[in-house]
Amino acid sequence: EADIYQTPRYLVIGTGKKITLECSQTMGHDKMYWYQQDPGMELHLIHYSYGVNSTEKGDLSSESTVSRIRTEHFPLTLESARPSHTSQYLCASIRLEGTEAFFGQGTRLTVV
Amino acid sequence: AQSVTQPDIHITVSEGASLELRCNYSYGATPYLFWYVQSPGQGLQLLLKYFSGDTLVQGIKGFEAEFKRSQSSFNLRKPSVHWSDAAEYFCAVASLQGAQKLVFGQGTRLTINP
């Protein structure tokens, strides 16, 4: 059973607000990822991390930022939310020599 | 660049019928291929994966997939579907070194008729 958690599960927030989506894993995995998924669409990688103090931008440009201060924690922040940020955000992790990505349940964000 | 195509956006089958979901990939080296399932409001669960060896791989929940290099395909099959199989299915390709970034197809939504 995968132990990767995302909070909140659902969030409705007004335009211009700052938000942080939380992702935590208790498996000690080094590599962590954020994917963005629009309804009925594929997942696109927006950020990833090889380990503590490592963050990289993914294939899809995003106005969000991430940090990796602790191995188990990989939060995603939007400084000023806009309606175009409305989407589902999925966090995933892989152990260093592993092959399987474990996914959290996702955060469905709606910006009004 | 890596890419994955799932030609069928939505498939409906009757319970007990067989199922095949199509996946075609484009990748410059030996592909590492995955099928994930996503139930409504949930994250993704790995069904099966292919790295090398036997081109027919078995997964969880009675699913299997066959890797065909000549056709650049990795189709998912199940001999008899259950109502609980209704979900979104994603095919993905990745490298196993470096960033191990997954590139996903658009997904196929599976509906089961009783």
Side-chain angles (χ1 to χ4, degrees):
Chain A
E1 192 72 23
D3 294 314
I4 180 164
Y5 308 100
Q6 291 185 242
T7 57
R9 290 289 311 280
Y10 303 94
L11 179 62
V12 180
I13 200 162
T15 298
K17 299 291 186 182
K18 177 180 178 179
I19 58 169
T20 296
L21 308 185
E22 303 288 349
C23 176
S24 295
Q25 50 94 7
T26 58
M27 299 172 282
H29 289 177
D30 294 284
K31 297 179 181 179
M32 295 189 73
Y33 308 80
W34 277 102
Y35 289 87
Q36 184 175 340
Q37 182 184 28
D38 292 328
M41 303 293 288
E42 65 263 49
L43 287 77
H44 291 286
L45 181 68
I46 52 175
H47 298 284
Y48 62 99
S49 167
Y50 286 101
V52 172
N53 294 325
S54 155
T55 61
E56 303 286 343
K57 289 194 176 295
D59 302 320
L60 180 69
S61 176
S62 173
E63 294 168 341
S64 58
T65 59
V66 292
S67 62
R68 190 86 183 277
I69 298 173
R70 302 198 313 268
T71 297
E72 62 271 22
H73 197 211
F74 191 42
L76 180 146
T77 298
L78 277 166
E79 290 292 334
S80 179
R82 294 208 301 268
S84 61
H85 297 138
T86 294
S87 189
Q88 173 156 255
Y89 295 84
L90 288 159
C91 181
S93 70
I94 301 176
R95 64 181 173 86
L96 190 59
E97 300 299 327
T99 57
E100 178 181 350
F102 292 91
F103 283 83
Q105 290 189 302
T107 294
R108 189 170 295 280
L109 173 65
T110 302
V111 183
V112 297
Chain B
Q2 305 168 33
S3 67
V4 177
T5 301
Q6 293 180 246
D8 305 305
I9 302 297
H10 184 202
I11 285 182
T12 300
V13 299
S14 298
E15 190 168 15
S18 63
L19 172 70
E20 182 170 31
L21 303 183
R22 296 183 291 165
C23 172
N24 294 97
Y25 66 89
S26 174
Y27 191 65
T30 302
Y32 297 99
L33 296 156
F34 306 81
W35 274 100
Y36 281 88
V37 61
Q38 184 180 34
S39 298
Q42 301 296 313
L44 274 70
Q45 181 182 22
L46 181 68
L47 284 175
L48 47 79
K49 57 190 177 185
Y50 171 78
F51 300 144
S52 64
D54 192 346
T55 56
L56 184 64
V57 294
Q58 303 297 320
I60 63 171
K61 304 185 180 186
F63 286 93
E64 67 178 26
E66 186 171 13
F67 170 61
K68 293 185 177 180
R69 184 185 297 276
S70 62
Q71 298 177 19
S72 297
S73 70
F74 188 56
N75 294 349
L76 181 71
R77 299 195 294 252
K78 186 170 184 177
S80 177
V81 298
H82 186 262
W83 64 266
S84 60
D85 293 325
E88 190 90 19
Y89 291 80
F90 291 93
C91 182
V93 65
S95 65
L96 279 192
Q97 286 76 41
Q100 291 181 265
K101 297 182 283 184
L102 286 162
V103 175
F104 288 88
Q106 194 172 1
T108 297
R109 182 158 60 94
L110 176 64
T111 298
I112 308 295
N113 281 338

